[in-house]
C-alpha cells in the first residue's frame, strides 16, 4: 500500500471545523468520497501546512485529526483584502446586477493575474461596491478530521500546473525559466 510522500496524488474526505475561543467547534465544510479534496503533496498551493505535514506517512484508509492556529490555517484578517470596486464592473448587459450584488452575498471574482477568488459584498454604494476578500475563516483556528481515500503517484499532467504556469500550459518551459515543469 502506498504511503503519502511529497509528489504523491492524494484524495481526502474531511470535516473542517472552526474552533471558537471557548474551544467549541462548528462544522463549516465537508468533503467525502463523492467530492474529495484532491491534492499533490508538496505542490498544491494554499494547503494548510499542519494538515500537509500530518498526511505524510499515512496510507489509504488512515484517519487524521489536525488542529491549526489561525496563522497556520488561513491567516489573520487584513484590511488589505477589503476593497472598493467600481460599480460598473458588476454590470450585466449595461445594467448593474442588483439581484446578485447585495450585502452578504459571496461572489466569484477573477484577479488581474487570472486567479479565481471569492469576495463577500460588504456595502453597495452609489458608485462603488465594498468587497471583503479575506478567507471566511481568517483569524480563526481550525480542525480537520478525516480519512485518506486514495494515494498514488501523480501523473505528469497533474504535475504540470505546479510549475506556476496558468492551466499547466507552459509552452517551451516554465515562466520561471526552468526547462520543464
Amino acid at each position: 500500500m502506498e504511503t503519502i510522500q511529497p509528489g504523491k496524488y492524494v484524495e481526502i474526505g474531511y470535516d473542517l471545523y472552526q474552533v471558537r475561543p471557548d474551544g467549541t467547534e462548528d462544522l463549516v465544510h465537508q468533503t467525502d468520497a463523492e467530492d474529495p479534496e484532491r491534492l499533490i503533496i508538496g505542490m498544491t498551493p494554499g494547503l494548510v501546512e499542519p494538515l500537509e505535514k500530518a498526511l505524510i506517512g499515512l496510507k489509504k484508509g488512515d484517519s487524521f485529526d489536525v488542529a491549526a492556529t489561525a496563522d497556520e490555517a488561513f491567516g489573520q484578517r487584513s484590511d488589505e483584502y477589503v476593497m472598493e470596486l467600481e460599480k460598473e464592473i458588476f454590470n450585466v448587459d449595461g445594467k448593474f446586477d442588483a439581484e446578485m450584488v447585495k450585502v452578504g452575498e459571496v461572489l466569484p471574482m477573477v484577479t488581474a493575474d487570472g486567479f479565481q477568488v471569492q469576495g463577500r459584498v460588504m456595502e453597495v454604494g452609489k458608485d462603488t461596491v465594498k468587497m471583503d476578500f479575506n478567507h471566511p475563516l481568517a483569524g480563526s483556528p481550525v480542525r480537520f478530521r478525516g480519512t485518506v481515500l486514495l494515494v498514488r503517484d501523480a501523473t505528469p499532467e497533474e504535475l504540470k500546473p505546479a510549475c506556476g504556469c496558468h492551466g499547466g500550459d507552459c509552452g517551451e518551459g516554465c515562466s520561471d525559466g526552468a526547462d520543464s515543469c
Side-chain angles (χ1 to χ4, degrees):
M1 194 173 283
E2 293 197 59
T3 301
I4 297 176
Q5 297 298 324
K8 292 286 188 180
Y9 173 91
V10 177
E11 292 183 1
I12 57 175
Y14 65 88
D15 294 341
L16 173 61
Y17 298 87
Q18 178 180 23
V19 181
R20 298 204 172 275
D22 66 3
T24 60
E25 299 175 352
D26 294 323
L27 179 65
V28 293
H29 181 74
Q30 288 183 297
T31 68
D32 57 25
E34 299 297 315
D35 185 26
E37 184 77 27
R38 296 170 177 91
L39 46 103
I40 299 175
I41 300 298
M43 299 180 147
T44 299
L47 184 58
V48 173
E49 190 174 335
L51 175 60
E52 184 172 43
K53 285 181 179 179
L55 292 173
I56 300 290
L58 298 182
K59 298 178 177 112
K60 180 180 177 180
D62 286 349
S63 296
F64 55 89
D65 184 344
V66 180
T69 66
D71 288 331
E72 294 170 323
F74 303 104
Q76 298 296 328
R77 294 194 55 73
S78 172
D79 289 340
E80 176 182 344
Y81 300 121
V82 175
M83 300 175 186
E84 296 260 347
L85 303 175
E86 295 297 320
K87 204 170 179 180
E88 66 190 30
I89 69 171
F90 299 96
N91 285 356
V92 175
D93 297 327
K95 185 178 176 201
F96 179 72
D97 188 357
E99 185 73 23
M100 290 293 297
V101 185
K102 51 189 170 189
V103 174
E105 290 294 321
V106 176
L107 304 175
M109 305 285 288
V110 179
T111 68
D113 296 331
F115 293 101
Q116 186 169 346
V117 295
Q118 301 288 318
R120 186 175 51 82
V121 178
M122 297 176 67
E123 181 181 302
V124 178
K126 181 178 180 248
D127 298 316
T128 61
V129 175
K130 188 174 186 178
M131 302 278 298
D132 183 353
F133 292 100
N134 282 286
H135 190 283
L137 294 174
S140 296
V142 298
R143 169 167 260 119
F144 295 87
R145 288 190 183 106
T147 305
V148 177
L149 304 171
L150 177 69
V151 181
R152 65 168 169 75
D153 289 333
T155 65
E157 292 78 27
E158 291 165 338
L159 293 173
K160 266 188 172 181
C163 75
C165 304
H166 296 287
D169 182 14
C170 299
E172 293 298 314
C174 292
S175 60
D176 62 6
D179 291 331
S180 68
C181 295

